[in-house]
Amino acid sequence: MKFSLRRSLGPPAVVVLFAAVGCSSGNDTAGPAVPTPPARAVGPCRALHKALPESVGGMERRKADPVSDFTAVWGDPAIALRCGVLRPEIIREGSKTYAPSTGSVEADGVEWLPELQSDGSIRCTTVHREVWVEVTLPKKVAGDAGDLGALTDLADAVKKTIPFGYVD
């Protein structure tokens, strides 16, 4: 089932999000952990970093700590982006918790897999792209209804820099 993010997600999306609860929690004061992307992801991630918008979800981009071409943050509590991350655990080979035909959402041509985190934030990872890009929306941004609308602000940059395709 796919959802359009041009409008607020309704109760069915919330059910999907709660069914995909993750294990880690976010941190509002420190920047996101810097991933170590595989060599094939370095170029696209650096291109994405340069193409990212100054505003996401109505929040202004700020300097990430630590500074990296593989991370970006907007606002406080921060919407955090990490590029070149590992394949999400729930879709790793052998996982029994993910069915490729369910659970993803579409934001202006970019498909994301949302996972509700224990702190109420929502981690969304691109699917069907040659590089994994992860965006964490804090609970203050996503709210209790699981609003993923901020992802639409990232769609153009992702489409321009992260090729459509499948990652091993």
Side-chain angles (χ1 to χ4, degrees), residues 43-63:
C45 285
R46 286 190 173 139
L48 174 63
H49 192 264
K50 290 177 185 173
L52 289 170
E54 287 302 312
S55 176
V56 171
M59 299 194 307
E60 295 301 309
R61 189 169 176 178
R62 62 182 176 83
K63 189 175 181 180

Side-chain angles (χ1 to χ4, degrees), residues 1 3 11-21 102-105 113-114 116:
M1 178 177 287
F3 299 93
V14 174
V15 171
V16 169
L17 291 173
F18 282 101
V21 174
T102 63
S104 65
V105 295
L113 177 64
L116 183 65

Side-chain angles (χ1 to χ4, degrees), residues 14-150:
V14 174
V15 171
V16 169
L17 291 173
F18 282 101
V21 174
C23 298
S24 64
S25 65
N27 184 335
D28 292 343
T29 58
V34 177
T36 304
R40 66 174 169 63
V42 170
C45 285
R46 286 190 173 139
L48 174 63
H49 192 264
K50 290 177 185 173
L52 289 170
E54 287 302 312
S55 176
V56 171
M59 299 194 307
E60 295 301 309
R61 189 169 176 178
R62 62 182 176 83
K63 189 175 181 180
D65 180 24
V67 175
S68 169
D69 286 346
F70 308 122
T71 63
V73 293
W74 295 264
D76 188 18
I79 293 174
L81 178 142
R82 298 180 343 123
C83 185
V85 297
L86 297 174
R87 178 190 309 249
E89 180 66 34
I90 65 169
I91 58 173
R92 290 194 184 150
E93 192 172 327
S95 173
K96 296 187 184 341
T97 61
Y98 176 70
S101 62
T102 63
S104 65
V105 295
E106 186 270 338
D108 289 345
V110 177
E111 195 169 349
W112 300 86
L113 177 64
E115 298 174 79
L116 183 65
Q117 304 299 289
S118 61
D119 65 353
S121 66
I122 301 173
R123 181 177 58 212
C124 301
T125 308
T126 55
V127 292
H128 309 302
R129 296 280 162 178
E130 290 182 9
V131 174
W132 301 104
V133 177
E134 173 188 286
V135 173
T136 301
L137 304 171
K139 182 175 181 171
K140 185 174 181 180
V141 172
D144 292 331
D147 181 6
L148 305 179

